[in-house]
Amino acid sequence: MPTGGDIDVTRNSCSNPAPIDSATSYPRIVRNGDQAVSVEFADTVNETANLKVLALSASISSNPIVGVRETIPTYRSLTLIYDARLVRGSVLAEELMRRARSDASYEPPPGRRFEFPVFYGGEHATDLEELAAIKNLSVDEVIGLHLAGEYRVYLIGFAPGFAYLGGLPEILHTPRLATPRQRIEAGAIGIGGRQSSINSVPGPSGWRFIGRTPYLLFNPLRARPFLLRAGDRIRFRRIDADEAAHLDERAGQSDFELVGTV
């Protein structure tokens, strides 16, 4: 039985449930196996679609649906993991389409604003000079362009706390490396296609890296292990090696938590 604000869609059956996989317009429902569905809002990456994703996620958080175990927001869709013993997929799809099309009472959480210090140089800026050469720019011009952008966190994924950032100036759009490197450290600032990124944990990557921030996106010892969430906005600030070393010590402490300016 539902509790609290849960909505029991298993009892809301109808003669014409929302189709799965057959819609050709947006929003639409796409099947992901027998215990997951996705609500897609577009076929391209754009902020409008992402805001709809976050609004639908907020709707489900505020008014849960019986059987839905987890929601996973992405650039342009919201994936829901559900318990097939508690809710039929076709009925869940109908409720999701109803909310996606008509529920305007929910707003995504307001995006916080952060300023991340970045040391553009040293061992973590493995691609900075090559990127400058590719773009026929000086190193300082590349850095200035990267600093000029305001970046939006579209989603957290791939690795714990990894942030995919939109807002990279078009002139810096660059394909990823043909052969990924086997280990890139946490905090490395990357460029891949038309996105920028902040590495959250050490690991392989084909992105092009131009610097590093001392702030850790993921620290399991913190009260809130993930530093960022979808919808947050970021600006970068250039620092030198001495300030980076000082901030490394502070940011590595278990009680450190970067607070947004909004």
Side-chain angles (χ1 to χ4, degrees):
M1 294 295 291
T3 59
D6 288 1
I7 296 175
D8 188 353
V9 298
T10 62
R11 299 181 179 275
N12 294 336
S13 59
C14 65
S15 57
N16 296 301
I20 296 181
D21 296 335
S22 62
T24 57
S25 59
Y26 297 95
R28 68 181 182 183
I29 302 292
V30 176
R31 190 193 313 271
N32 289 306
D34 60 356
Q35 295 188 68
V37 295
S38 294
V39 186
E40 294 187 340
F41 288 93
D43 60 359
T44 58
V45 175
N46 64 79
E47 186 170 348
T48 299
N50 190 246
L51 287 170
K52 292 178 180 179
V53 169
L54 299 181
L56 180 57
S57 182
S59 168
I60 295 168
S61 178
S62 297
N63 285 280
I65 300 172
V66 167
V68 172
R69 299 168 53 194
E70 184 179 1
T71 59
I72 306 170
T74 72
Y75 281 111
R76 60 184 184 87
S77 66
L78 182 70
T79 295
L80 298 96
I81 312 298
Y82 66 92
D83 188 335
R85 297 170 300 179
L86 300 177
V87 59
R88 297 205 311 258
S90 60
V91 180
L92 175 60
E94 181 187 8
E95 172 65 11
L96 293 173
M97 287 294 284
R98 182 191 70 78
R99 295 195 190 197
R101 286 172 170 163
S102 63
D103 195 340
S105 60
Y106 294 94
E107 295 290 337
R112 302 165 299 172
R113 294 181 182 272
F114 294 93
E115 183 180 79
F116 275 70
V118 178
F119 175 45
Y120 293 93
E123 61 180 321
H124 302 287
T126 49
D127 300 294
L128 182 55
E129 292 187 1
E130 182 180 1
L131 182 61
I134 291 172
K135 300 298 182 181
N136 197 27
L137 299 168
S138 69
V139 166
D140 281 341
E141 285 174 325
V142 170
I143 294 171
L145 287 164
H146 192 257
L147 289 169
E150 181 180 72
Y151 300 86
R152 185 172 185 274
V153 180
Y154 271 90
L155 74 152
I156 303 297
F158 171 67
F162 184 95
Y164 288 90
L165 308 178
L168 181 71
E170 185 174 357
I171 192 173
L172 295 182
H173 293 185
T174 310
R176 302 181 192 186
L177 297 171
T179 303
R181 296 185 177 92
Q182 292 305 301
R183 182 182 175 94
I184 298 295
E185 297 301 325
I189 304 296
I191 289 175
R194 59 180 181 175
Q195 306 168 99
S196 192
S197 67
I198 306 174
N199 257 30
S200 59
V201 296
S205 178
W207 294 59
R208 299 173 187 267
F209 290 92
I210 61 174
R212 182 185 68 88
T213 179
Y215 291 164
L216 301 176
L217 296 194
F218 174 69
N219 184 345
L221 301 179
R222 289 194 303 242
R224 284 181 282 195
F226 295 157
L227 187 58
L228 297 175
R229 64 186 181 218
D232 287 343
R233 294 186 180 273
I234 291 173
R235 295 199 74 95
F236 294 116
R237 173 176 65 87
R238 189 175 187 179
I239 60 175
D240 59 22
D242 289 340
E243 185 174 357
H246 171 73
L247 291 174
D248 277 336
E249 182 177 353
R250 176 171 171 250
Q253 297 171 358
S254 61
D255 60 350
F256 170 79
E257 185 169 351
L258 180 63
V259 178
T261 59
V262 175

